[in-house]
Amino acid sequence: METNSGETQMLTIMQMCDSDNTATKMVPFVREAHESADLMDAIIELDEHCQTCLTNHVENRASRRQGRALLDTSIETFIDVTMLRDLKVLVEDDRLLGHLPVVFGVVCASLQVGQKSTCLMFMYNSLRTMIASSVRLGFAGTLQAQGIQHEIQQLIPEIVDRHRSISVGEVHVSFPSVDVLQNLHDTMFSKLFYS
């Protein structure tokens, strides 16, 4: 697939805006979940706060499904991690919705991954997901998308550092147009992704 430089530049800008939104809206939940991973009451409260902050219904639904899938996969992969089993019980008892940033933070903490590495991994994963979606939607070819990913991933440590002081009480989106476009997914005649 071949696109012109204007389309490539627009796609790069959209990916950068999404990365900034992830850092200001999701990473504070990842960081807080990592810090509070062994305090299940705090995790329940954090997950409820995440539910309140994800007003975009498409993003909210995807966050819950992806979080639960990560939890299920992690339990099957890391069998002896009690903290994850405790989290699963909360989900099964409908005391926890299982939003992705919260579950991601707890999973990484339970595996003793450092907090900064956890936040960076979450950002890299978000970028990779957006880039893969761009390819599946035909907005970019695979090589072009890899070039965009390489360019933006160099900026992720700086983006995380720039927003590291944002607490879960201060989460926000810096670029709301990305959120608005995502929110329109359910109005499409044919949904390309089901999450």
Side-chain angles (χ1 to χ4, degrees):
M1 173 181 182
E2 195 171 312
T3 58
N4 66 42
S5 62
E7 291 172 342
T8 301
Q9 185 178 14
M10 181 58 74
L11 184 58
T12 302
I13 290 169
M14 286 295 287
Q15 299 294 343
M16 289 178 71
C17 291
D18 183 69
S19 291
D20 205 75
N21 282 350
T22 300
T24 59
K25 187 175 183 180
M26 300 296 211
V27 171
F29 288 104
V30 173
R31 192 173 49 247
E32 183 71 27
H34 190 278
E35 288 174 7
S36 306
D38 56 342
L39 305 170
M40 287 302 142
D41 287 337
I43 295 300
I44 291 169
E45 187 176 319
L46 188 63
D47 195 58
E48 289 171 355
H49 189 73
C50 189
Q51 170 72 10
T52 304
C53 292
L54 296 179
T55 56
N56 171 340
H57 69 283
V58 175
E59 179 182 42
N60 188 305
R61 181 178 59 228
S63 176
R64 286 181 278 122
R65 288 187 177 160
Q66 292 170 2
R68 289 173 179 210
L70 175 62
L71 181 58
D72 289 343
T73 303
S74 299
I75 287 171
E76 292 300 318
T77 305
F78 310 109
I79 296 170
D80 60 343
V81 181
T82 305
M83 189 184 306
L84 299 180
R85 295 204 179 280
D86 293 344
L87 207 61
K88 179 69 175 174
V89 169
L90 293 174
V91 170
E92 289 171 347
D93 291 346
D94 291 327
R95 294 181 56 211
L96 188 79
L97 292 168
H99 282 288
L100 179 62
V102 176
V103 172
F104 193 91
V106 173
V107 167
C108 289
S110 72
L111 298 174
Q112 300 176 348
V113 176
Q115 187 185 73
K116 185 169 185 170
S117 293
T118 297
C119 293
L120 291 172
M121 282 192 311
F122 189 84
M123 289 288 294
Y124 290 130
N125 185 53
S126 175
L127 173 62
R128 183 206 50 82
T129 299
M130 289 297 292
I131 292 292
S133 296
S134 299
V135 172
R136 286 193 304 270
L137 289 169
F139 293 136
T142 53
L143 295 177
Q144 177 191 25
Q146 289 300 311
I148 294 169
Q149 180 174 331
H150 178 73
E151 179 182 342
I152 297 172
Q153 76 185 17
Q154 306 303 313
L155 304 174
I156 285 178
E158 186 271 324
I159 293 170
V160 170
D161 284 344
R162 185 174 64 230
H163 299 300
R164 74 178 173 273
S165 64
I166 295 174
S167 71
V168 294
E170 301 168 317
V171 295
H172 62 278
V173 291
S174 302
F175 300 97
S177 58
V178 175
D179 231 25
V180 170
L181 291 172
Q182 184 183 42
N183 203 24
L184 295 174
H185 181 265
D186 284 349
T187 64
M188 296 172 60
F189 175 71
S190 174
K191 297 177 192 169
L192 298 172
F193 304 110
Y194 183 74
S195 57

